[in-house]
Amino acid sequence: MYSIEVKNLRKEFGKFVAVNDISFNVKSGNIFGFLGANGAGKTTTIKMMSGILEPTSGDALIGGFSIANNPNAVKLIIGYMSQRFSLYNDLSVGENIDFFGGVYGLSGKEITKRKEWVLEIANLKNQEKVLTGSLPGGIKQRLAIGTAVIHKPNILFLDEPTSGVDPLSRRSFWELINNLSTEGVTVLVTTHYLEEAEYCDDIILMDAGEIIADGSAKEMKEKYLKNDILEVECSDVIAGLEILEKQNYVEESSIFGNNIHISVNENLKNENQIKNLLETTHNIKLKRVHKIVPTLEDVFIHLLEKRKNAK
Amino acid sequence: MLNRILAISKKEVKQLLRDKRMLFVLFFFPVFLLVIFGYAVNYDVQNVKLAIMDNDKTSTSRDLIRSISSSSYFEIVEYYENDKRGKEILDEGIAKGLMIIPKGLEKDIYSSREKINVQILIDGVDGNSATIIQNYSIAAIYAFNNKLNKEASQKVGFQIAPPIDLKSLFWFNPLLETTIYLIPGLIALILIVTAVVTVSLSLVREKELGTIEQINVSSLTIFELLIGKLTPYIMISFANAIIILIAGFILFGVVVNGSYVLLFLSTLLFLFASTAIGIFISVVSDSQQVAFSLATFVSLLPATLLSGFIFPIESMPEIIQWSTNITPAKYFIVALRSIIIKGTGLQAFWEQWIYMFLFATIFLLLAMIKNQQKLKNS
């Protein structure tokens, strides 16, 4: 059962294609990660899915409603938290909650009930009268997400919710997202912190308006990185890299700090081959060579490099 | 729907109450302008300085001088003896006018042999005042002539009245006080500036801070948003209008002669037109700074120069007359002067209501078109 079905969604600004015929589905209750560099088209896609930006062509069904034909119905069932901090700094915490409750047409009683809940998840109990502008970033963000779901939407869009938030607050913020998801809310979140993608059930990676990879973090590592990644530690990194690059078992190589990362194919029979090559033939001392677990960063760098080379 | 509009209005009021600077501007500005325009801008000509060269020095010439100096229009600053000093007096601005009484005035009057010439020289730099001085002095001499005629005919034993006795009265503003003329225009000026500036700033601020996105994504309609946002500012504008009327009454004795209902409805229409300009500005500008400059420029300048507030539109060249239509203050001022000063009914200014309505509609349409374009391309 999908909460979000995107079909050939496209957005052009003049001659510039911001989103190029993308399609993907999001399962109900999942946390869905939307990754990509700045300018990849993430925000444009989210704006179209929220019904505030008209697509050039294509459509998306959000909770069963078409964004092309019924954007207002879509707005009622989604919560949205924009990239920029979206609460009023010159209003108090309570006034902000009242305002957004009112805008979503909640009655006085409902607002009082939901206000308690928002204050609780934002850790702001008994601090209703505090001016929002004086809150620390992490708390503000929690308050923002609380007001974004004040009307209990089934689907929540978060556009870079954790940018500019300290690591500790980010972690607890993701716990909050997790809690919402266990309550059945489908969460679509964009981020450029790749380690955050590990919290997501599914991910897509966008580049220049196109989806270039999708799947879970684990699937992606398996699907797109077929080769092993070896970390080589030796006495002369530069010379070592030059030598290794030329070997037929090395497909990609790069320097990570004082080490060399190489992705190797089946031509490498065992790791002694490297030891022999460096120490015997070139007189470079090999300190250590070992297989490492690739991170999503390795995957994305691999994919983006490949795309760049293909162009 | 009412709930949602109320939520917006409440929020707007709370934000405004915290914005002490804006509050100060909103309530200080009207009083400030009223005092400036009420006291400083004044074309009433009073106590014009006059110097006199009396070459006759008889009781008749003194009578003539007395009849001129007894009105509050002229103040005699100097009696001088020769033309050289007369030139100095005008050059140095010691007096605005000279009156030269010829030798033999008394003799000639009673012998009625010759036509008598009294010369008046007026400093014409300020043409407007010069014309007024001219009229006052003609009137003073005319009155003196009448007095002489009356005395002469009484001596003979019968009365000859002049065939036509001219008595002119000014209707609506009998004393030709500038403040009475200015107050309606001042109301228009203050309302248009506060309405355009506050409305455009309040809308652009949401854009600048990004909070508009949160509102866009809620199911709030643009209609609800605008009504919710405009209501507090329209109420403030009414409060401002009331302040000006009360201050105008206390300080300058200006009273509303016409119907308060018509006054209220005209003001509402005018605010509708002014807020339409504010909305349009908020669509075309992306920062509060741009919006503020644009709003003050678009509202203040035309409302001061082209609205007929100070400078009569009828005496402008045709092309400028045509351009006066860029400010709704032009229509409002006509309606206000009719209601406040003349106390007339709707029949005297109903076209102005139509103009204001059309003006608002055109600007709202422009704002909508521009907004649609922006939505498609942003």
Side-chain angles (χ1 to χ4, degrees), chain A residues 11 13 47 50 52-53 75-76 80 82 84-88 90-91 95 99-100 102-105, chain B residues 4 7-8 11 14-15 18 206-211 213-219 375-378:
Chain A
K11 182 70 194 177
F13 296 117
K47 279 191 176 166
S50 313
I52 52 178
L53 188 64
K75 286 177 179 177
L76 277 175
Y80 170 81
S82 75
R84 294 194 284 175
F85 178 66
S86 50
L87 298 174
Y88 296 92
D90 52 351
L91 291 184
E95 286 164 351
F99 171 66
F100 284 105
V103 160
Y104 277 104
Chain B
R4 290 190 287 219
I8 299 258
K11 181 216 96 182
K14 280 174 188 155
Q15 282 186 308
R18 292 223 168 86
E206 306 262 0
K207 267 210 290 198
E208 199 174 87
L209 299 178
T211 43
E213 279 187 21
Q214 211 62 45
I215 290 174
N216 280 343
V217 87
S218 72
S219 50
L375 270 186
K376 284 224 166 81
N377 300 315
S378 69

Side-chain angles (χ1 to χ4, degrees), chain B residues 184-204:
Chain B
L186 205 54
I187 294 178
L189 179 69
I190 290 166
L191 292 194
I192 193 171
V193 174
T194 49
V196 173
V197 170
T198 52
V199 165
S200 59
L201 278 190
S202 120
L203 286 166
V204 171

Side-chain angles (χ1 to χ4, degrees), chain A:
Chain A
M1 180 48 197
Y2 294 119
S3 283
I4 301 174
E5 295 170 61
V6 176
K7 295 174 212 151
N8 301 323
L9 201 58
R10 181 183 183 85
K11 182 70 194 177
E12 293 165 14
F13 296 117
K15 280 190 180 142
F16 173 68
V17 182
V19 175
N20 192 356
D21 286 313
I22 63 169
S23 305
F24 61 90
N25 297 322
V26 179
K27 286 192 202 107
S28 290
N30 265 11
I31 302 178
F32 192 82
F34 219 59
L35 288 95
N38 290 333
K42 292 171 298 182
T43 299
T44 309
T45 309
I46 284 216
K47 279 191 176 166
M48 285 193 282
M49 290 197 293
S50 313
I52 52 178
L53 188 64
E54 216 178 293
T56 308
S57 63
D59 196 5
L61 294 179
I62 310 294
F65 295 107
S66 152
I67 56 162
N69 305 324
N70 207 351
N72 287 327
V74 170
K75 286 177 179 177
L76 277 175
I77 57 159
I78 61 160
Y80 170 81
M81 184 176 147
S82 75
Q83 210 165 1
R84 294 194 284 175
F85 178 66
S86 50
L87 298 174
Y88 296 92
N89 279 326
D90 52 351
L91 291 184
S92 73
V93 170
E95 286 164 351
N96 261 306
I97 300 174
D98 285 341
F99 171 66
F100 284 105
V103 160
Y104 277 104
L106 300 190
S107 71
K109 263 187 212 156
E110 282 172 298
I111 292 183
T112 321
K113 229 168 90 189
R114 290 297 283 169
K115 193 194 253 173
E116 284 306 306
W117 179 83
V118 174
L119 290 173
E120 198 180 309
I121 64 158
N123 299 332
L124 282 170
K125 278 216 150 171
N126 303 321
Q127 298 193 54
E128 263 184 65
K129 298 223 160 63
V130 176
L131 266 194
T132 310
S134 65
L135 297 173
I139 301 285
K140 267 191 201 173
Q141 226 59 12
R142 296 177 77 90
L143 180 61
I145 197 174
T147 52
V149 296
I150 195 157
H151 56 302
K152 295 187 175 170
N154 296 323
I155 297 165
L156 177 59
F157 294 145
L158 304 171
D159 195 1
E160 310 232 340
T162 54
S163 63
V165 174
D166 66 87
L168 207 67
S169 307
R170 254 162 61 193
R171 180 173 290 267
S172 71
F173 191 80
W174 273 96
E175 276 166 25
L176 183 60
I177 295 178
N178 241 318
N179 290 343
L180 288 171
S181 143
T182 32
E183 281 166 30
V185 178
T186 309
V187 182
L188 188 143
V189 54
T190 75
T191 178
H192 50 228
Y193 294 114
L194 289 172
E195 71 272 20
E196 289 188 343
E198 312 266 358
Y199 296 113
C200 301
D201 298 310
D202 272 308
I203 311 166
I204 56 174
L205 174 66
M206 275 187 87
D207 180 51
E210 287 170 15
I211 296 175
I212 60 172
D214 56 10
S216 68
K218 191 165 165 278
E219 279 167 9
M220 280 213 183
K221 289 173 193 169
E222 286 165 1
K223 196 155 129 198
Y224 298 103
L225 279 184
K226 296 209 171 69
N227 301 327
D228 286 343
I229 306 276
L230 298 184
E231 190 172 75
V232 181
E233 214 179 325
C234 61
S235 57
D236 189 338
V237 182
I238 309 284
L241 182 73
E242 275 177 17
I243 297 157
L244 286 170
E245 267 176 355
K246 296 187 186 114
Q247 307 309 311
N248 66 343
Y249 50 78
V250 174
E251 294 212 334
E252 280 167 15
S253 60
S254 56
I255 294 181
F256 268 68
N258 282 325
N259 307 318
I260 303 167
H261 282 194
I262 49 174
S263 98
V264 292
N265 57 26
E266 62 287 348
N267 289 338
L268 185 75
K269 300 304 175 215
N270 69 56
E271 289 167 13
N272 280 333
Q273 263 178 283
I274 297 173
K275 193 176 166 68
N276 288 338
L277 175 76
L278 289 177
E279 295 205 325
T280 325
T281 324
H282 293 277
N283 202 21
I284 293 170
K285 191 166 166 23
L286 182 70
K287 289 172 192 158
R288 203 160 73 112
V289 55
H290 65 115
K291 193 172 156 184
I292 55 166
V293 181
T295 62
L296 268 179
E297 200 159 333
D298 290 310
V299 180
F300 290 161
I301 288 173
H302 166 75
L303 286 170
L304 292 175
E305 287 288 318
K306 212 167 83 181
R307 242 171 92 83
K308 214 158 111 195
N309 293 338
K311 276 179 189 165

